[in-house]
Amino acid sequence: MQITNLLVSGLLAAVLPVQLAIADADGERAALARIIHELQAIDPLITEAATQANPDARVRFQYEWLRQDLDRIRLGIQEHIDAPRSEPRTFPPLRGDYRR
């Protein structure tokens, strides 16, 4: 009886971390998919801001650069969801500075 309990405990200890790792990976994918959805929801706000921008302003916000950076972020997330890798990947740098 004690050997059976020990065996069951050992099996649970071995299987439970695998189950949690699978659940964590699924949870991560779901969270990343939500991030992609939120990034896509920002696009109409960018369009609205761009239409309200002063075309005669000396310093203009570069909406197209912002869109390109958000597209790069979305692509990177989607690539991770579609084909996760164990090795680090390189990405082109973001512009980050949207004033000109």
Side-chain angles (χ1 to χ4, degrees), residues 62-89:
Q62 299 299 313
Y63 292 100
E64 191 55 37
W65 294 356
L66 174 61
R67 279 195 175 98
Q68 289 172 4
D69 285 348
L70 291 175
D71 286 342
R72 285 184 188 145
I73 293 168
R74 273 194 296 260
L75 179 62
I77 293 171
Q78 191 63 55
E79 284 178 359
H80 180 77
I81 290 171
D82 293 343
R85 298 181 180 116
S86 59
E87 63 206 41
R89 295 178 288 158

Side-chain angles (χ1 to χ4, degrees), residues 13-31:
V15 170
L16 192 57
V18 172
Q19 290 286 344
L20 291 175
I22 291 170
D24 288 345
D26 290 341
E28 179 189 32
R29 282 190 178 99

